[in-house]
């Protein structure tokens, strides 16, 4: 792991599509990013159009597991929609690979698959995926299920933010740059856990220096820079190696 006191430049962007109707009043709208992983061009286009026509989404595209991991490492992703069979892996292999990294463990995962066997559905759901849809799928049902999963995770993050912590604060009173400076001046070693409406994350310090950062699916420098734009969220610093 490379140590740095101030992160260098972030990475470049990726291909995206956007659209913008409304969301329920109980949850103010923000753009949710969905990564669609499928080797079939028609299926990718179906997912793009279904989400673009019904909600406030950005859609990222990947043909295989390798491409999906690349996008998820460079973009803040809210949910993955994946085919069960990919050119370089199975969908379950990709899902388990994501589970093996802490920054992806909170990332919802849905299958949109041409495999209609009950056995395939059971295996996927037992593995822990959020949902399993079969092709062909009604576009409105697909969009509704995606929206429901994202909104459920968002409410969970809001609930986590509202919990009372003994040692905690809010970016509205102590900004992230000020917080980093305070920890740096104290030469503290530990983990800063952060909960915002958009994502959960952690910043790791060693003797006051930032050595690593995670924010949702982002990691390293890109995650650190994302914190600079966050003005609302709870934090808790825990000292220790």
């Amino acid at each position: 792991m490379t140590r740095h006191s101030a992160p260098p430049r972030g990475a470049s962007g990726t291909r995206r599509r956007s659209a913008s109707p409304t969301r329920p009043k109980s949850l103010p709208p923000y753009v949710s990013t969905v990564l669609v992983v499928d080797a079939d061009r028609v299926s990718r286009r179906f997912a793009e159009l279904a989400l673009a026509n019904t909600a406030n989404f950005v859609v990222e595209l990947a043909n295989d597991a390798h491409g999906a991991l690349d996008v998820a490492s460079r973009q803040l992703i809210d949910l993955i929609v994946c085919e069960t069979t990919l050119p370089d892996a199975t969908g379950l292999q990709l899902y388990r690979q994501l589970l093996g990294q802490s920054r992806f463990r909170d990332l919802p995962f849905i299958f949109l698959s041409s495999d209609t066997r009950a056995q395939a559905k059971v295996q996927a759901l037992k593995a822990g995926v959020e949902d399993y849809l079969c092709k062909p799928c009604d576009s409105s049902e697909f969009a509704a299920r995606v929206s429901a999963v994202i909104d459920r995770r968002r409410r969970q993050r809001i609930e986590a933010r509202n919990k009372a912590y003994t040692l905690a604060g809010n970016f509205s009173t102590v900004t992230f740059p000020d917080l980093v400076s305070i920890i740096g001046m104290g030469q503290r070693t530990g983990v800063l856990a952060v909960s915002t409406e958009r994502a959960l994350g952690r910043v790791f310090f060693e003797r006051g220096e930032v050595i690593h950062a995670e924010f949702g699916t982002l990691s390293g420098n890109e995650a650190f820079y994302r914190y600079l734009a966050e003005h609302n969220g709870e934090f808790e610093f825990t000292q220790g190696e």
Side-chain angles (χ1 to χ4, degrees):
M1 182 178 296
T2 302
R3 178 185 300 180
H4 53 81
S5 56
R9 298 187 301 273
S12 59
T14 56
R15 179 185 176 191
R16 59 179 59 194
R17 314 263 180 165
S18 58
S20 67
T22 59
R23 277 188 177 269
K25 292 182 179 178
S26 58
L27 288 175
Y30 69 73
V31 175
S32 299
T33 304
V34 177
L35 172 58
V36 178
V37 189
D38 200 315
D40 181 59
R41 180 181 59 82
V42 174
S43 295
R44 294 197 305 270
R45 185 58 177 162
F46 162 80
E48 280 188 301
L49 294 176
L51 296 178
N53 287 336
T54 56
N56 197 22
F57 286 107
V58 166
V59 177
E60 300 285 353
L61 304 174
N63 298 332
D64 52 27
H66 178 78
L69 290 169
D70 180 60
V71 173
S73 296
R74 294 186 286 112
Q75 301 292 323
L76 184 58
I77 303 298
D78 293 281
L79 180 142
I80 290 180
V81 176
C82 186
E83 171 61 88
T84 51
T85 302
L86 302 171
D88 56 350
T90 68
L92 275 178
Q93 286 173 334
L94 172 60
Y95 174 67
R96 287 167 177 149
Q97 189 169 357
L98 292 169
L99 283 181
Q101 301 185 47
S102 60
R103 59 185 169 133
F104 294 131
R105 286 174 190 163
D106 189 52
L107 179 61
F109 197 101
I110 291 177
F111 278 120
L112 177 61
S113 175
S114 55
D115 189 345
T116 61
R117 295 175 302 144
Q119 180 183 357
K121 297 179 186 179
V122 170
Q123 185 180 16
L125 294 172
K126 281 186 175 181
V129 301
E130 295 285 339
D131 207 345
Y132 190 110
L133 299 173
C134 295
K135 302 175 184 178
C137 178
D138 179 78
S139 60
S140 59
E141 178 186 0
F142 169 72
R145 287 177 181 263
V146 168
S147 296
V149 171
I150 289 177
D151 286 346
R152 182 164 63 249
R153 288 298 179 95
R154 189 178 176 190
R155 287 189 175 92
Q156 290 172 351
R157 291 194 296 269
I158 292 173
E159 290 174 3
R161 289 177 56 199
N162 292 333
K163 291 181 180 179
Y165 294 101
T166 304
L167 299 173
N170 193 295
F171 288 156
S172 62
T173 55
V174 181
T175 66
F176 179 73
D178 287 343
L179 187 59
V180 171
S181 296
I182 292 169
I183 297 173
M185 287 187 292
Q187 295 188 341
R188 303 295 185 183
T189 296
V191 179
L192 179 69
V194 178
S195 173
T196 73
E197 184 178 342
R198 182 66 189 276
L200 303 176
R202 298 179 297 174
V203 183
F204 300 83
F205 292 84
E206 184 174 325
R207 297 179 182 177
E209 294 186 357
V210 177
I211 58 172
H212 186 60
E214 298 173 351
F215 184 76
T217 60
L218 300 179
S219 178
N221 300 334
E222 292 178 1
F224 185 91
Y225 278 120
R226 182 62 188 236
Y227 281 117
L228 298 176
E230 293 292 328
H231 305 293
N232 222 344
E234 269 66 38
F235 62 81
E236 180 183 23
F237 182 74
T238 304
Q239 290 194 128
E241 294 296 331

